[in-house]
C-alpha cells in the first residue's frame, strides 16, 4: 500500500510565524504535490515537484515556498503565516513518467492549520 | 477556471440503493480520469480510474462511465452502504501535459439507513 504521511494533523499558529508542514511518502514516487482545500473551492495546487531539488509553482503559490532535499520528503513553508492561510493542507505523491497510471495521486491525511 | 465540475453538490440515498455521481469536464484533450472518495477529516482516497480509450470500467461495487461525446463522467456505486457516505471528487489529466490533475469541487453523498 502507498503511504503518505503528514507531520501534524492539527496545527495552531500565530500571524507572522514561520510554519513548516512536512510530508513523507514511502513508495519511491517521483512526484509530490501540496494542495490546500477550502469549502466551496475544492483542492487548489500550491506547489509540486518532479524530482529532488525541483519545484514548480501551482495555481496559488503566493505566500508559500517548498523544499525537496530528499526524494521521499516534500516540505511546505509558510514564511509569515496569515489568517487567510487557515485551511486544510493536503500532500500527495505519484509515480514518475515511466510508470503506468503515472498521474494517479495518493494523498496523505491532511493537516488542518489554524492561523490566529 | 476549472475544467472539471459536478452537476450536483449533494446526493442523499437510502442504504441498499444504487448511487450515481456525475461529473462534467470541458477539456476534450483530457485522457485520464480518476474518482476519489474523501471521508470527513481524511485525505482523498483513490477509488477507480479510466482512460479515454475506454467507456466503462468496473471495480468492486463501483463502475465508472465515460461519455466523451458529451464530456461526461459518472461514478456508480452499487448497493450503497453507510460507509460510502463521503465527498466524491472527479479529477482529470490533460493529455500531453504534466502529471497535474484538475479536480472538481466534489459531491457529498449521504447514505440514510
Amino acid at each position: 500500500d502507498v503511504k503518505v504521511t503528514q507531520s501534524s494533523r492539527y496545527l495552531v499558529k500565530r500571524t507572522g510565524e514561520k510554519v513548516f508542514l512536512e510530508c513523507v511518502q514511502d513508495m519511491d514516487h517521483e512526484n509530490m504535490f501540496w494542495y490546500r482545500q477550502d469549502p466551496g473551492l475544492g483542492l487548489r495546487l500550491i506547489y509540486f515537484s518532479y524530482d529532488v531539488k525541483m519545484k514548480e509553482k501551482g495555481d496559488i503559490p503566493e505566500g508559500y515556498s517548498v523544499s525537496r532535499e530528499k526524494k521521499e520528503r516534500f516540505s511546505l513553508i509558510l514564511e509569515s503565516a496569515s489568517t487567510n492561510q487557515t485551511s486544510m493542507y493536503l500532500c500527495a505523491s505519484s509515480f514518475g513518467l515511466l510508470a503506468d497510471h503515472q498521474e494517479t495521486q495518493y494523498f496523505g491525511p491532511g493537516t488542518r492549520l489554524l492561523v490566529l | 477556471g476549472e475544467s472539471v465540475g459536478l452537476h450536483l453538490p449533494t446526493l442523499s440515498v437510502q442504504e441498499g440503493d444504487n448511487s450515481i455521481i456525475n461529473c462534467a469536464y470541458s477539456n476534450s484533450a483530457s485522457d485520464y480520469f480518476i474518482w476519489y472518495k474523501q471521508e470527513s477529516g481524511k485525505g482523498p482516497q483513490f477509488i477507480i480510474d479510466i482512460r479515454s480509450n475506454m467507456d466503462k470500467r468496473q471495480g468492486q461495487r463501483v463502475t465508472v462511465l465515460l461519455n466523451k461525446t458529451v464530456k461526461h463522467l459518472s461514478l456508480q456505486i452499487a448497493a450503497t452502504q453507510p460507509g460510502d457516505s463521503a465527498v466524491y471528487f472527479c479529477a482529470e489529466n490533460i493529455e500531453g501535459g504534466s502529471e497535474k490533475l484538475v479536480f472538481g469541487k466534489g459531491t457529498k453523498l449521504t447514505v440514510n439507513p
Side-chain angles (χ1 to χ4, degrees):
Chain A
D1 270 358
V2 175
K3 191 166 185 184
V4 180
T5 57
Q6 294 182 229
S7 52
S8 304
R9 293 300 306 274
Y10 301 95
L11 274 180
V12 181
K13 297 291 181 181
R14 295 205 174 274
T15 301
E17 280 193 79
K18 191 169 186 176
V19 182
F20 293 87
L21 303 183
E22 305 285 342
C23 176
V24 177
Q25 49 91 8
D26 67 357
M27 283 299 292
D28 202 35
H29 283 177
E30 302 289 336
N31 309 319
M32 296 188 76
F33 306 80
W34 273 107
Y35 296 88
R36 62 178 284 176
Q37 184 178 32
D38 301 287
L41 297 177
L43 275 79
R44 293 182 291 168
L45 181 63
I46 304 172
Y47 267 97
F48 61 106
S49 169
Y50 288 137
D51 200 352
V52 176
K53 299 208 186 282
M54 284 188 58
K55 61 183 180 183
E56 290 198 33
K57 293 180 179 179
D59 301 319
I60 52 162
E62 296 78 18
Y64 303 95
S65 62
V66 291
S67 173
R68 189 144 181 225
E69 296 296 319
K70 294 184 178 180
K71 191 175 185 180
E72 67 270 19
R73 187 179 297 268
F74 193 35
S75 303
L76 180 69
I77 303 153
L78 286 66
E79 296 290 342
S80 177
S82 63
T83 55
N84 63 12
Q85 291 179 310
T86 291
S87 187
M88 169 74 118
Y89 289 88
L90 290 162
C91 175
S93 69
S94 68
F95 290 103
L97 285 171
L98 299 180
D100 287 338
H101 298 290
Q102 66 207 34
E103 309 94 330
T104 304
Q105 293 180 19
Y106 298 90
F107 285 83
T111 296
R112 192 167 291 281
L113 173 66
L114 173 63
V115 182
L116 300 173
Chain B
E2 286 188 4
S3 66
V4 177
L6 290 159
H7 292 309
L8 295 172
T10 62
L11 177 65
S12 184
V13 300
Q14 291 298 123
E15 183 178 356
D17 286 352
N18 296 333
S19 303
I20 300 175
I21 301 171
N22 296 305
C23 181
Y25 64 96
S26 58
N27 196 325
S28 57
S30 295
D31 71 338
Y32 180 63
F33 304 88
I34 307 171
W35 279 102
Y36 286 93
K37 172 186 180 183
Q38 187 175 23
E39 296 174 272
S40 181
K42 298 183 179 179
Q45 178 186 0
F46 172 87
I47 302 173
I48 192 167
D49 58 2
I50 189 167
R51 290 219 173 263
S52 59
N53 60 354
M54 302 171 69
D55 52 19
K56 180 179 180 178
R57 191 161 189 226
Q58 288 185 291
Q60 188 178 13
R61 279 201 308 118
V62 294
T63 301
V64 55
L65 299 177
L66 177 63
N67 185 329
K68 294 180 285 295
T69 303
V70 295
K71 298 193 192 108
H72 185 265
L73 189 70
S74 69
L75 177 71
Q76 299 179 0
I77 305 173
T80 314
Q81 302 168 0
D84 295 326
S85 293
V87 175
Y88 290 82
F89 297 92
C90 61
E92 65 177 318
N93 179 259
I94 298 170
E95 180 183 8
S98 68
E99 285 91 86
K100 289 196 295 182
L101 295 176
V102 177
F103 290 87
K105 290 186 172 55
T107 293
K108 183 175 182 180
L109 175 66
T110 301
V111 182
N112 302 309

